[in-house]
Amino acid sequence: MKSIFGKNLTVALFGESHGSAIGAVIDGLAPGIELNLAHIRRQLDLRRAGANAALSTARQETDEFEILSGWFNEHTTGTPLTIIIRNRHTKSHDYERTKDLLRPGHADYTAYAKYGGWQDFRGGGHFSGRLTAPIVAAGAICEQILTAHGIIIGTHLAECAGIADTPFPTSEAALKAAIESVNTKPFAVLDDMAGEQMQQSILAAKSDLDSVGGILETAVLGMPPGIGEPFFNSVESVLAHLVFSVPAVKGIEFGAGFSFAQMRGSQANDPFRMAAERIVTQSNNNGGVNGGISNGMPIIFRTVIKPTPSIYQRQQTVNIKRHENADLQIQGRHDPAIIHRARPVIDAVTALGLVDLFCETYGTNWQTDI
Amino acid sequence: MKSIFGKNLTVALFGESHGSAIGAVIDGLAPGIELNLAHIRRQLDLRRAGANAALSTARQETDEFEILSGWFNEHTTGTPLTIIIRNRHTKSHDYERTKDLLRPGHADYTAYAKYGGWQDFRGGGHFSGRLTAPIVAAGAICEQILTAHGIIIGTHLAECAGIADTPFPTSEAALKAAIESVNTKPFAVLDDMAGEQMQQSILAAKSDLDSVGGILETAVLGMPPGIGEPFFNSVESVLAHLVFSVPAVKGIEFGAGFSFAQMRGSQANDPFRMAAERIVTQSNNNGGVNGGISNGMPIIFRTVIKPTPSIYQRQQTVNIKRHENADLQIQGRHDPAIIHRARPVIDAVTALGLVDLFCETYGTNWQTDI
Amino acid sequence: MKSIFGKNLTVALFGESHGSAIGAVIDGLAPGIELNLAHIRRQLDLRRAGANAALSTARQETDEFEILSGWFNEHTTGTPLTIIIRNRHTKSHDYERTKDLLRPGHADYTAYAKYGGWQDFRGGGHFSGRLTAPIVAAGAICEQILTAHGIIIGTHLAECAGIADTPFPTSEAALKAAIESVNTKPFAVLDDMAGEQMQQSILAAKSDLDSVGGILETAVLGMPPGIGEPFFNSVESVLAHLVFSVPAVKGIEFGAGFSFAQMRGSQANDPFRMAAERIVTQSNNNGGVNGGISNGMPIIFRTVIKPTPSIYQRQQTVNIKRHENADLQIQGRHDPAIIHRARPVIDAVTALGLVDLFCETYGTNWQTDI
Amino acid sequence: MKSIFGKNLTVALFGESHGSAIGAVIDGLAPGIELNLAHIRRQLDLRRAGANAALSTARQETDEFEILSGWFNEHTTGTPLTIIIRNRHTKSHDYERTKDLLRPGHADYTAYAKYGGWQDFRGGGHFSGRLTAPIVAAGAICEQILTAHGIIIGTHLAECAGIADTPFPTSEAALKAAIESVNTKPFAVLDDMAGEQMQQSILAAKSDLDSVGGILETAVLGMPPGIGEPFFNSVESVLAHLVFSVPAVKGIEFGAGFSFAQMRGSQANDPFRMAAERIVTQSNNNGGVNGGISNGMPIIFRTVIKPTPSIYQRQQTVNIKRHENADLQIQGRHDPAIIHRARPVIDAVTALGLVDLFCETYGTNWQTDI
């Protein structure tokens, strides 16, 4: 499999940053879903460059999407739904000048090695973060399906440029409010003061011709127990697979994650208790997943996003044609941070993965079986 | 897909802890591989309970494997290779007594929710860590294939019970020596003094009727650039998918991993340089992967293993039949730590994932094309 | 994919004719199915050599199966179910003598070309018709699932050695009776006189050291409309895919099949009519499938089985080691016809394909959702 | 899987007859293939309605294709290649009037049953034969890949409206000439007199407001031995799967096909002989495939195409909204025969299937490894 994911809900991703269009075919949607186009639009806006001029690239793409197939009389048809977004604001000559100079931290060298130089190098080609736009569109449809089943997803900047946000609260009522709150914010933090500081730090990095990274915390509320497959297709396997397909992600941890290394079993285990008619755990160190299967508690995971590799400082590199050392000063329009733009992408892939897993047990028709 | 992984090299895993046998069908091996049975045996021994009596469960399984198919005249045939391991030292009555009491941190509740009570509950059934034995056997074959292509994999206990080992060295020559060294050790550390302390801490936890976790660091040396697929099937996606299928894994990070959150782009980017005829990076913060594709530097990742959930202390839980709170005192034979036993499993799934990705570009026949 | 089939219900087939065992892993069964072992046993007996001494090979295999996993307290667990059948009555030396002589009509040469000589050549190795035994076992479970949903499958010898049986009747009541009748017969014909003649013709071929083929007609009664996927995963695509995986099958036609070539649209189209509350077609030229999707009428298809390639006459061939012409006189124990033994295999793969397609829309849990 | 096919070369098909566009994402093409756009254009023209005004629908689509991704500097990039074709000459109101009347022989009822009425009903929606245009485009690229490896595919109308063409010749030299000849003809027959009669019969059916079907014979010349997988992914399984995804196909037979029913093994078996350095068979009853694997002889198969279901005669049907019997007189623009237009589609899916199977053994890079 190449740029395709999903067994029950399959997404075939295509396009290059400076080609004519990017898009995705989404196959496996149930018929009769009244698409919430405004939600797709909103999620695309959150991801879009230009939504926050100071923090983001100056590339102005409106990201207007066109649905080519699978949508009729305002509803899904049940046949493959195709979304394309035309590339309009391309300045490909920025890349012509430096096309033989491998940008550190990018896929230039690895794509060259893989495709023998035939890849579209302009703006990263197929490896561009721009390809996450159709993922966000596909994910927005899946979020709508999950919401109809009482499942909501939210992600905030748990840390950016070394500044920490408040973590998601543990009580389900407070978590629900927190998810709803961050989902309306262009710069998604729980503590707006911390958010202000993060933005200052991003701008400080920008003025240093540099960039910053951070950590996203994601919560899924409302999952029933019993979703996920044993071993090779656990909830964690599927979500990690998808999250690592998002450019700049370099790590993921569920629940207590790397902190488990310092715990003993007696602290780490989450004791079961009855709460009204429901089985719950008193703590949630396992992040809502036991043995790879959802246990009904909120699914919690944290994703690290590395600093944007495109920085304006002079960098050491190699000229791939001449096979000699060279210096590179990157041209083009780049973000000093992408973590706030990665946020809706993480939500999107989470939704994709969960819908895929639900359909495994309950079939395609589960999507509209409310 | 359920307990099946791999597109080009497919592993179908089966069995339950207290059933008659566990095993795997490995489909996609090239014909004509002279299997190194001693290496399979050695890796199974590293994983096996009972290899280190004090640190591990008292369940004494010899894990003798039988090859049912796909192997003829000492070589692979190219048709599906099936390995089974009989379960012999089962004491199922240990589980009968407490079968309605959900063990915290285990898959008891989630399997119950998923399978409606029909699952084999004895010793975790299909969710048992015992199922990693056939994975280790399959991985050992893949390691042999990779070794023939000059690629070696090694994993050590970077941290256990709060005690840190020396990290893998950065120079390739030193890394090679380190991998070769840890691959011969039953308790895989670079610093034997640290290893001694870890073992003391494990025994201390054991005497407290408790358990400990830790972090494994894995290195892959000798990877050519250009392996992996863009987006949904990146090296990181495939390895993370597989690593999270190993029970008790709760996080993975590549290269600098979660430390990227505190870095700026100018520190994080790995500058390219020519080294003799080869393109290398001066640092390896990206852990050998750019844009999801191998860049020829060592692939480095760290995996967190939670403390063994089976502890002998009294724990709070729920009786699943009566739907009421209860106390549980676990019976049976359990490890105070499983991290040293998880080590060969991580090596195994890494090898499986890499062979699958190589075959994507180069076909099944690549395996013997040396 | 190699010897693996099925997206929702996956069968991984393994083994060689003269290896230690053959078998299959069946992943995707719902939990809680009380397996009808007697039905599995009966279908295996129908397929088995030796059931009818005169018509079949003298190889006496009892085909006792062992369930290694996925079955607990007489029910499926929901985790992978593994069935193995040991090979006991092997006479491998029959093959040693002639192992360099390619048997015409068999896979000897093609396997040699594919596997470079590493394949197990004894008795056809992995390509042996013996591998259909685990397929029959897997199919028997699927037939049980379908029966519980009111869907029954039957196959008879529509033609053998040039002698024709009565075709399946068109009325659903008569068809039901016909299916139930043939399903109890070791030599499955509707017209027992024709069956008698077929058996005489088979024995005549046998005494000529020769073999015969024939045509199987299969009917599926009780299918609801709406099953199957458009284009690449139509009912016809999936069933044809599976039917061609049965050794000796060389053609398949649905409904009027090759007769459509002589029809006009006005004859070929099946007019719709209301029948009580149900939409039916007045004729069934399309064999229960329109546009690749079931239309609620009986699914009807015909499969041609070529004559057994193993005949005792002297044949012209090539010595693969010496690359020179040679004569071959086949040793071993072979059937003068395999069509009556192929019958339960066609039923089995039909059931496998249909369950896979049902689960696509309705999920794994559909299997027990009656 | 829904409208997706191929493991190594994956085609995701999308679109509806009267939607905004139809197309396909082709993932798994090697980088650096210089696309022969003229060949794609020519194959699309052969398939296109309107190419032969008298024999075909009056719908005038130019079928101009746009490559949205995966193509750069006149070569494939190695990332997903997307082709779209806009629908321009749609007259959707033809369908509005009769949208509740199920067209006999079409997918109207089955799509309704499957999608609960949400499907795009206009012109068959996703089930329209128009969807074969992107398949032809994808196949044309695969034919180009195969041609570069010395493998050529050709299909002719072996029978149409009861009139037979000369079969493909058996000698490889004559077969090569025959394939090259039919590949240049808009109405592909070997015997032009027979072709003339077929066209007269089609026009006769047209004047009777009726339609005709026929049989296509396909040959693949130049296949090496050893391609295909045992059992579930045989050459026959994969080609039959794909061929049955073409609308109107109701049967397929390889080599002697249904004639095997009247043969004895001594006639059916193809004896092996040395011919120069090569192993060949003296006859080719098995159609180039033994045990599911190519044997190096020409692959020969025949496909039956049913008469176009859209006829202008008054037909009996059901009103799906009212659930009552009704009469239907079809509007719109339809072909009295589609067999000549199905021809390039059969070539296309054959090429897709073979490239997929080659890549299984030899990897993606085989495509350009000449």
Side-chain angles (χ1 to χ4, degrees), chain A residues 45-87:
Chain A
D45 281 345
L46 287 174
R47 192 216 70 89
R48 190 158 55 91
N52 184 327
L55 298 184
S56 305
T57 167
R59 180 170 172 180
Q60 297 293 332
E61 289 284 2
T62 53
D63 284 355
E64 276 159 33
F65 61 91
E66 181 188 3
I67 301 181
L68 289 186
S69 70
W71 189 58
F72 182 57
N73 290 337
E74 313 302 318
H75 291 75
T76 56
T77 57
T79 52
L81 189 142
T82 306
I83 293 180
I84 65 167
I85 299 169
R86 293 280 175 182
N87 294 319

Side-chain angles (χ1 to χ4, degrees), chain C residues 2 159 232 241 262 360, chain D residues 2 159 232 241 262 360:
Chain C
K2 323 282 153 106
E159 184 180 327
F232 296 126
H241 190 131
Q262 275 95 42
E360 182 80 23
Chain D
K2 325 282 155 106
E159 184 180 327
F232 296 126
H241 189 132
Q262 276 94 43
E360 182 80 23

Side-chain angles (χ1 to χ4, degrees), chain C residues 261-314:
Chain C
Q262 275 95 42
M263 288 183 184
R264 280 192 165 191
S266 55
Q267 303 162 274
N269 283 349
D270 299 311
F272 290 105
R273 288 282 97 170
M274 294 305 305
E277 296 300 290
R278 196 175 140 217
I279 295 170
V280 298
T281 60
Q282 285 178 294
S283 51
N284 190 15
N285 290 318
N286 283 282
V289 184
N290 284 140
I293 314 288
S294 65
N295 67 11
M297 299 301 290
I299 296 178
I300 305 287
F301 63 88
R302 287 157 48 93
T303 305
V304 62
I305 308 288
K306 72 174 185 179
T308 325
S310 292
I311 55 174
Y312 293 104
Q313 293 181 26
R314 182 174 298 273

Side-chain angles (χ1 to χ4, degrees), chain C residues 1-2 7 159 208 210 232 236-237 241 250 254 262 264 266 282 286 306 316 325 360, chain D residues 1-2 7 159 208 210 232 236-237 241 250 254 262 264 266 274 282 286 306 316 360:
Chain C
M1 289 295 169
K2 323 282 153 106
K7 191 193 143 213
E159 184 180 327
D208 296 345
D210 217 332
F232 296 126
E236 288 146 326
S237 285
H241 190 131
K250 296 301 281 190
F254 286 82
Q262 275 95 42
R264 280 192 165 191
S266 55
Q282 285 178 294
N286 283 282
K306 72 174 185 179
Q316 291 188 333
N325 289 339
E360 182 80 23
Chain D
M1 288 293 170
K2 325 282 155 106
K7 191 193 143 212
E159 184 180 327
D208 295 344
D210 216 330
F232 296 126
E236 290 147 326
S237 284
H241 189 132
K250 296 301 280 189
F254 286 82
Q262 276 94 43
R264 283 192 161 190
S266 55
M274 294 305 304
Q282 283 178 296
N286 283 282
K306 72 175 184 178
Q316 292 188 330
E360 182 80 23

Side-chain angles (χ1 to χ4, degrees), chain A residues 198-228:
Chain A
M198 289 177 191
Q199 294 184 57
Q200 292 310 319
S201 292
I202 295 172
L203 294 174
K206 186 184 185 183
S207 71
D208 295 345
L209 308 180
D210 216 332
S211 64
V212 297
I215 295 170
L216 295 168
E217 185 188 32
T218 300
V220 183
L221 183 64
M223 282 293 289
I227 300 303

